Structures are given as C-alpha cells and as structure tokens.
Amino acid sequence: MIIANSDVMYRHLVQGVIDYAIYMLNPDGTVANWNTGAQRAKGYTAEEIVGRHFSCFYSAEDRAAGLPQLGLSAASQLGRFEAEGWRVRKDGSLFWAHVVIDAIRDDAGELIGYAKVTRDNTERRERELQLLKAKQLAEHYNGELTSMSSFLQAVVSHIPSCVLVLDAVSRQFLLANRQAADTFGGSPGGLQGKTAQQCLPAAVCEFFDRLTNDALRSDGAMREEEEELATARGLRTLRTKTLAFHNTDPRSRYVLFIADDVTDENAAHAQVRYMAHHDTLTGMPNRRLFRDRLLKALDAEGAERTTAVLCLDLDNFKSVNDTLGHQCGDELLRLLARRLPRHLREQDTLARLGGDEFAVVLPNIAERDDVRKMAERLIDAMRQPFEIDGHIVPVSVSIGIALTDTRESSPDRLLRYADMALYEAKRNGRNCLAFFKPEMEAAALKRHEVEMDLRQAIISQQLQLYYQPIMDVSHVRIVGREALMRWQHPTKGLILPQDFIPIAEETGLIHELGAFTLDEACAEAMRWDSHETVAVNLSASQFTNGALVSLVESALVKSGLPAHRLELEITESVLLINSAGNLATLHRLKELGVKVALDDFGTGYSSLGYLRTFGFDKIKIDKSFTQDVESSREALAIIRAINGIGRSLDIPTTAEGVETPAQLERLTVEGCSHFQGYLLGRPVSHGGFAATASLAGPDPAN
Ligand code: C2E
Ligand code: MG
Ligand code: MG
C-alpha cells in the first residue's frame, strides 16, 4: 500500500513537473507514457503520442543518421545516455534539448524500457552562444588591439623622427624611441621612466625644460620651432613639434615631442639656394642675384637710392681661351672673381652674367665721381697680369657705367644702358670706361638698324669693292692694290667700312662679307697685270671661323689667281696674347703660298714680339704716323724704328695714308719700300681704273 501510495505520489509528482519532459519508452522505442512537461515541451498530448516511436522528436537528417537508435543503444549498454541536440516539436519548430535516457531493467536484469528526461535548453544555449560570440569577439579585438599596439610601437621605433612623451607632472619620459636616444643620448630603455636631468646632458635638459614649459603654456596648440643643439651626434639643427595633451585622466597632462634632425636638409636647401643665385664656375653671384640686389638698391629711400651699374667685359678673353685652352680661361675667371671684389665696397655686388661678362651693382652712391674712381680701380686691378699654369696672361677690362636715382628705373633698363656704355668703351679702344649717355641709346638703335640693313645688303648685292693702288719706291709703278669695301645703300648713300665692319664683326655677318671680298678681289685681280698683287683685309673675328683657310683656297681656285698674288692684311688683334689657334691658321694660310701683311702697325699694342712670332711678308705703317711724319718727332722715331726692324728682318714696309709730296719724300728717305695714299691714288671701283690709274674714278668716300 505504502508502495502503491508512493507509486501514485510518484506519478503525480512526475505529472506535475512542467519544466521537464519526463516520459517512458518501451524497449522498442515507442512512447509508453507522457507527462505535462513533455506535452508543454513538445506539443503532443499523451493521447497523440503514446504508442508512437520517439524518433518523431528528431529531424529527418538525425533520423537518417540513426541518432534515436544510437541514444537507446548507448543507454541500454551504459545504463544512462546523456546528450544535447536539436529536437522537433509537433508544430515542426526546433528546440535545443538536454536529454537523459536511463535504461530500466527488472530484477532479472531484463530491459523493460527507458526513462527519458528532456529539458528545453534553447534559451540557455542562446545565452551560451551569445556569450561564446562575445568572448570570441573580445578575443578578436584583444588580438587586434595587441597587434595594433605592437604595430604602433613598430611605427614609433622605426619612424625617422625622434618621438618622446613626457609626463608633465613627474617630468619623466614615458616613451622615447631609438632615434631619440641616438640623438639626445642614452639608450631607449635608459630614457623611459627617467627625467631629463637624470640621464641627459645639461644643454639637452635645458632644451626639454624650455620646450615643455612652452608647450604647457600654449595648451593644446602644436608648437613648431627650429634650433641648433649640441646633441649626442654633435651640433645639429632640430626642427621640433611639441604638443601638450590630456589622456583619459583629465588630471594628468603629457607632452609629446617630435624632433627631426634637419641639419642636412637645411644644408641641401642652402646649397640649392646658393646654386640658384651663384655661378658654379666662379662662385660669384649670378644674374638672378644681381637683379635682386639691383632691385633692392633701387628700392632704397631718398639719397641712398642713387645706384650705379657697371658692365665689365674682358678685352681679350676669347684669345685666352683659344690660345691656352678653356681650362685656363675658366681659371682666369676664377682668379678674377677673387681679385676684383677686393676693390669694391662691402655692399657692392659683383656678378658673372655669363661668359666673360660681369656686372657690378654699386648701391648708395654719393657722387658720380666716386663711381668713376671705383671703375678706374677695377681697370687698374687688371694691370697686374694673371699667372695661370706657368703662363703670364695679360688681361684688360672695359667698363660701361649707368647711374640712376629714381625708383622708376627698371633693373633691365639700367643694365641695358650700362651695356651700351660698355660698347662705347670698347669702341674707344678698350681697357677704359664710359658712362651712359642718352645718345648711346639712339646709336644702339641705329646699330640694330644697320645690322638689319646689312643683311639685306648682302642679299641684294649693295656691297662693292674699291681698289687703292700701292706703289713701289719709283712712286709711279703700281705693285698691287688694296681691296676696300664700300656699301652703296639705296637710301642712305655710301657707307664706309668703319660704320658697318664692326657691326658685321659683332653679328658674325663678317664671315659672309669676308667670303664675298675674297672671291671678288681674286677674280678682279685676274684682270690686272700679272705682277700686281691684291690685298684683302681680314678681321680678327674671321679667324674664329674654321673655314677661313678653305675660303681663301677656294677663292684662289675659282679665280685661278696664283697664291703669291694674294696678300692678306691682318692687324695685331689677330695675334693678341699670341693666340695659338690664330697663329696656326696664319701658318696654314702661308702654306697656301699667299702673303700676309701686318696692317696698321704702330697703333694698339704694337708688340715687337709679333714680328718674331710670325714671318710677315709686309709691315704697313699706320697712316697716323705718315700724317705726323713732318710735325712729330715721336712719329718719325717710330717710323724709323719700324723701317729699321723691317730692314733687319728683310720685311718690306708700306707707308699708308700718304697725302702730300712732302710726306712721300720724307718716307722715302726714311726707307719705306711701298706707298699708299690719296696722293698716289684713291680707292676706286674696278671700272674706275680699267683704263688707267691716273684717270681712275675717285672713291666717292673722299
Ligand atoms: P685699312 O686696311 O688700314 O685701309 C686703309 C684705310 O685708309 C682705308 O679706309 C682707306 O680708304 C684709307 N686711306 C687710304 N689712303 C688714305 C689717305 O691718304 N688718307 C686717309 N685719311 N685715308 C686713306 P677705309 O676704306 O675707310 O677702310 C677702313 C678700314 O676698314 C680698313 O683699314 C680696314 O681695316 C677695314 N676694311 C676695309 N675693307 C675691309 C674688308 O673688306 N674687310 C675687312 N675685314 N676690313 C675692311
Ligand atoms: Mg688694310
Ligand atoms: Mg691700315
């Protein structure tokens, strides 16, 4: 009874449990009974489920996999089987079940069924799953944070800048990368946790203290400065960015320092700036810096504004280059760059504008005469020849000067004016100075016009040769004629060589003119007596053309004129400072068989050395001596000296510019062997002397 009672009680108890599905299975797996909890959990009523196989609580896949049977087998073998898994409710929905299956045996050990307790753990599992997900997420972020922090650490330690973080209160370094330690001293670990005073030299401590205080004062704003500091790597320029900031704790403050060593960068910038403003060869200021300084000088106030510009040009730089080579030419410019500034004031700027072209800005000029004196000092400074590679190189300089006291003057115009004055100085015989005058601008314009006209003249054959006879001592016998160029301008009339030859030389048109003269003169001479020579003038600038020798050769070949009948007249400018290149050309010309005369001797440098350097066939005494032969003792003395040398070296001398019988007589007595001048015959066009020299059509120039 007691048992029966307890059996009833037990059944009630089981039926009353609603949180657990408790039911029994027969040994074949069919449901034997069903409690309220089972109905609640799975949706079936006892009537519906009792007698059905319990595999209906499994999904089709689990059934196919034999899971229901597996559970029962395990329970029958082990006594109890416990598992979790998805089960299917009557309505087809799934729930997560915790299942315990106990095998029930009778006293003989025979299996009489299974007791099954199932609990719906869906919610718990959800929570567990969420927890798991949260844990995984946390682990993931933690991993990311760890790798981010080691990434940041790697960045900080590899960044080329010095990075330091300082606790504003304790003044201890919380972070210092390797670069910081290399720059300021100590090891990276050595700085961390210490104050600057504990591990760094006094100057560096003072540096950090100052930066820290400044940063704390300008809270939140990034400060940037640059200064020189005696670091562990020597005296370096550091560009520092400093920032004071709060971390999560608003009571504490930190200072971040990022310092870059900009010593090399600054030096490179300075070098670039220097190169942009200086000439690489001489280290002198270049055109750009010159312009800047000139602008600054013109911008000065009041009386200080008076500014002068000097344009300098070496008179014989080209021949230094030609004779001694470009390296010597470069060395000359370098020496010049050292010598000239010694004669200038501190505030003056000597610049190289290009080639052998120099210019000086002289700011704050009190007197025009001061400028003259300074320019004269520069000319004087050149008197002492330069010594280059064992060669003594005499150099002179011509200077053009322009002055202004108005702010309106543009640097370019001032430079142009000085350049025009330089042209004048060069025309006045070089080695001298000239001030700009307004009429020079008109002259420059005219020169430009002439150049344009000259180009046209060559094309439309306005150039013509006139010929002036040269007599021997008999004074009547013509031994040859000098070809002199004339320009018959369609509107301006006759233009003489002195007004266009220099322009042709400057512009390079001289090469065209020279070729024309050679061809024309040789062809013309073929019509003369076979003993008569033709003299053709060559400009020094024609020697710059490598084709000169072949031009002469071709003129001879084309005309058929024997080489000995052609006489080339050169002036000493061709030989100035013994130009090796020009000398070689002269020798090649002589090898052709032509004669070479030294024209205008006695003017210019008239170094007797020229006569030794080259075997001239004739010396032409300049007409200035001829004209003064009667009135000037000096002129006479020079004529005697030249004739003396001519006699000794067996070189005939021609007196140029003989205008009077008295001059002719005197020069004959003095030993000149040939004579040329208006007295004996003016230059005439070739038609003019076709019949007879005495009836020659006169030179329209005279
Ligand atoms: P140059 O070679 O010394 O020529 C002599 C100059 O003296 C000529 O001047 C001639 O007309 C002038 N003359 C001749 N007899 C007398 C005289 O009795 N009294 C005076 N006062 N002058 C006299 P021009 O023709 O004006 O030539 C000047 C210079 O121009 C020449 O000096 C020569 O250096 C140059 N020249 C002339 N034609 C050519 C040329 O075709 N090519 C080159 N490169 N230069 C030339
Ligand atoms: Mg001549
Ligand atoms: Mg002459």
Side-chain angles (χ1 to χ4, degrees):
M1 196 58 210
I2 293 165
I3 294 167
N5 269 348
S6 63
D7 190 37
V8 171
M9 275 172 63
Y10 184 69
R11 207 171 322 124
H12 278 292
L13 178 69
V14 168
Q15 279 300 334
V17 172
I18 55 165
D19 285 342
Y20 289 88
I22 302 172
Y23 56 97
M24 298 211 34
L25 298 178
N26 294 312
D28 63 354
T30 52
V31 178
N33 56 38
W34 195 244
N35 80 336
T36 319
Q39 183 175 342
R40 201 177 135 150
K42 307 202 184 193
Y44 296 98
T45 61
E47 289 74 36
E48 284 168 334
I49 200 68
V50 171
R52 279 183 67 180
H53 197 271
F54 88 110
S55 58
C56 67
F57 306 138
Y58 289 79
S59 68
E61 296 90 73
D62 287 354
R63 276 201 303 273
L67 281 191
Q69 202 47 51
L70 272 172
L72 292 188
S73 309
S76 84
Q77 274 168 31
L78 305 167
R80 169 172 276 204
F81 170 75
E82 196 171 344
E84 290 207 344
W86 291 110
R87 296 293 182 269
V88 185
R89 292 195 189 96
K90 181 188 166 189
D91 63 6
S93 63
L94 295 175
F95 68 100
W96 186 259
H98 177 261
V99 181
V100 179
I101 307 176
D102 283 303
I104 303 168
R105 294 179 186 280
D106 61 12
D107 295 341
E110 197 70 30
L111 180 76
I112 54 167
Y114 301 94
K116 218 171 157 224
V117 179
T118 303
R119 186 187 156 91
D120 185 347
N121 267 355
T122 312
E123 273 183 25
R124 200 202 75 213
R125 181 178 157 81
E126 275 299 278
R127 276 200 307 277
E128 277 174 6
L129 280 176
Q130 273 174 5
L131 263 170
L132 189 74
K133 222 166 149 185
K135 190 174 157 235
Q136 282 170 345
L137 255 160
E139 275 168 7
H140 172 75
Y141 286 128
N142 198 18
E144 273 204 345
L145 265 172
T146 318
S147 64
M148 176 60 87
S149 123
S150 52
F151 169 69
L152 284 176
Q153 234 164 22
V155 170
V156 169
S157 66
H158 286 99
I159 210 165
S161 313
C162 305
V163 180
L164 302 105
V165 177
L166 189 98
D167 184 320
V169 180
S170 68
R171 297 278 165 134
Q172 284 174 346
F173 289 112
L174 302 178
L175 184 146
N177 67 355
R178 189 166 42 79
Q179 288 70 16
D182 289 350
T183 305
F184 299 110
S187 61
L191 288 175
Q192 249 148 324
K194 288 189 186 144
T195 63
Q197 280 69 18
Q198 285 169 328
C199 56
L200 295 173
V204 182
C205 291
E206 194 268 322
F207 168 78
F208 276 115
D209 279 349
R210 189 164 33 77
L211 290 187
T212 306
N213 294 338
D214 288 349
L216 292 171
R217 268 197 294 276
S218 51
D219 199 8
M222 170 85 81
R223 292 177 60 87
E224 200 172 328
E225 48 206 271
E226 208 173 290
E227 71 175 83
E228 235 178 27
L229 182 72
T231 69
R233 296 195 282 121
L235 197 63
R236 312 294 293 173
T237 307
L238 299 180
R239 185 181 298 147
T240 327
K241 293 191 183 89
T242 327
L243 176 71
F245 63 97
H246 296 279
N247 206 352
T248 39
D249 181 358
R251 285 163 304 176
S252 51
R253 277 210 289 176
Y254 304 90
V255 181
L256 166 70
F257 303 97
I258 300 172
D260 288 295
D261 184 341
V262 290
T263 319
D264 298 339
E265 184 188 316
N266 283 0
H269 281 155
Q271 176 74 9
V272 168
R273 255 198 319 275
Y274 180 85
M275 278 162 65
H277 290 100
H278 291 82
D279 166 49
T280 31
L281 177 70
T282 59
M284 288 164 110
N286 62 10
R287 188 181 286 273
R288 197 166 153 190
L289 186 52
F290 172 83
R291 218 171 168 278
D292 289 353
R293 298 265 169 90
L294 181 51
L295 269 171
K296 213 170 129 202
L298 294 175
D299 209 35
E301 289 304 319
E304 288 186 7
R305 198 183 301 132
T306 305
T307 302
V309 166
L310 268 53
C311 265
L312 278 70
D313 192 278
L314 296 188
D315 293 329
N316 40 2
F317 180 66
K318 195 183 170 308
S319 49
V320 177
N321 262 342
D322 290 350
T323 324
L324 302 174
H326 285 267
Q327 271 183 349
C328 280
D330 288 353
E331 183 56 20
L332 171 64
L333 296 177
R334 277 192 285 263
L335 291 174
L336 202 91
R338 284 215 289 275
R339 190 188 285 185
L340 288 185
R342 285 185 221 141
H343 303 273
L344 295 168
R345 303 166 305 169
E346 186 77 21
Q347 69 261 46
D348 302 334
T349 304
L350 170 69
R352 180 174 176 225
L353 304 186
D356 62 338
E357 222 186 303
F358 298 89
V360 190
V361 187
L362 302 173
N364 191 10
I365 293 296
E367 298 284 333
R368 180 187 162 97
D369 211 46
D370 294 344
V371 182
R372 175 185 296 280
K373 282 182 192 141
M374 271 191 257
E376 279 167 355
R377 273 209 300 278
L378 293 178
I379 291 174
D380 276 352
M382 305 296 276
R383 287 207 199 289
Q384 173 77 25
F386 291 89
E387 200 187 323
I388 304 167
D389 253 358
H391 301 277
I392 301 295
V393 185
V395 183
S396 62
V397 68
S398 303
I399 301 181
I401 306 167
L403 261 159
T404 184
D405 56 4
T406 69
R407 193 170 270 155
E408 279 65 49
S409 313
S410 83
D412 293 333
R413 190 187 308 160
L414 207 55
L415 193 62
R416 207 153 42 83
Y417 284 172
D419 204 45
M420 287 173 196
L422 171 66
Y423 180 86
E424 187 64 22
K426 283 199 166 279
R427 250 170 53 116
N428 293 346
R430 300 162 184 244
N431 194 27
C432 61
L433 61 87
F435 276 88
F436 171 76
K437 291 195 198 103
E439 46 276 28
M440 287 179 191
E441 195 167 18
L445 250 156
K446 191 173 164 237
R447 271 201 307 280
H448 179 71
E449 218 175 85
V450 171
E451 183 195 334
M452 294 299 135
D453 277 5
L454 194 52
R455 289 181 192 280
Q456 189 53 43
I458 295 168
I459 299 165
S460 41
Q461 299 174 344
Q462 297 162 15
L463 298 168
Q464 233 190 322
L465 287 182
Y466 274 55
Y467 298 92
Q468 185 177 31
I470 300 166
M471 310 289 190
D472 66 7
V473 271
S474 72
H475 302 164
V476 289
R477 192 175 115 92
I478 296 175
V479 291
R481 291 179 172 86
E482 179 175 4
L484 296 162
M485 193 171 284
R486 299 291 178 264
W487 177 5
Q488 198 59 55
H489 193 282
T491 53
K492 294 175 187 155
L494 185 87
I495 304 176
L496 287 175
Q498 73 210 34
D499 293 326
F500 67 88
I501 292 284
I503 294 167
E505 286 170 348
E506 272 171 47
T507 52
L509 285 172
I510 193 71
H511 300 298
E512 278 83 10
L513 297 195
F516 160 78
T517 313
L518 280 164
D519 281 352
E520 190 77 8
C522 289
E524 174 62 26
M526 284 299 284
R527 300 195 195 110
W528 306 343
D529 273 2
S530 60
H531 72 275
E532 286 179 21
T533 57
V534 62
V536 172
N537 292 285
L538 293 183
S539 292
S541 50
Q542 282 178 266
F543 282 75
T544 56
N545 188 337
L548 180 61
V549 179
S550 50
L551 272 181
V552 172
E553 198 172 11
S554 120
L556 291 172
V557 171
K558 278 193 272 182
S559 62
L561 186 75
H564 70 268
R565 287 186 60 199
L566 176 62
E567 203 167 88
L568 300 175
E569 293 192 5
I570 62 155
T571 57
E572 59 187 313
S573 59
V574 172
L575 287 176
L576 262 181
I577 76 149
N578 191 24
S579 163
N582 290 357
L583 203 59
T585 307
L586 280 179
H587 281 294
R588 281 170 54 215
L589 287 171
K590 257 204 117 163
E591 276 162 23
L592 295 177
V594 302
K595 300 211 169 72
V596 182
L598 184 54
D599 204 356
D600 300 346
F601 196 69
T603 57
Y605 287 89
S606 298
S607 160
L608 298 183
Y610 298 143
L611 298 174
R612 208 179 67 166
T613 320
F614 186 74
F616 286 101
D617 298 289
K618 192 181 260 181
I619 301 171
K620 297 189 79 172
I621 301 171
D622 192 68
K623 57 177 173 288
S624 55
F625 299 101
T626 302
Q627 267 142 32
D628 289 348
V629 67
E630 293 161 295
S631 55
S632 153
R633 269 177 56 205
E634 291 78 13
L636 182 61
I638 290 169
I639 290 170
R640 276 189 187 150
I642 298 173
N643 277 331
I645 294 167
R647 254 193 315 278
S648 319
L649 297 175
D650 214 12
I651 308 174
T653 52
T654 303
E656 291 186 302
V658 184
E659 289 183 356
T660 65
Q663 286 167 358
L664 182 63
E665 195 178 321
R666 190 65 206 242
L667 289 159
T668 312
V669 172
E670 291 304 329
C672 292
S673 55
H674 296 86
F675 306 89
Q676 184 181 353
Y678 295 164
L679 178 71
L680 303 163
R682 289 172 180 264
V684 287
S685 70
H686 66 93
F689 59 84
T692 132
S694 54
L695 292 176
D699 181 358
N702 308 300

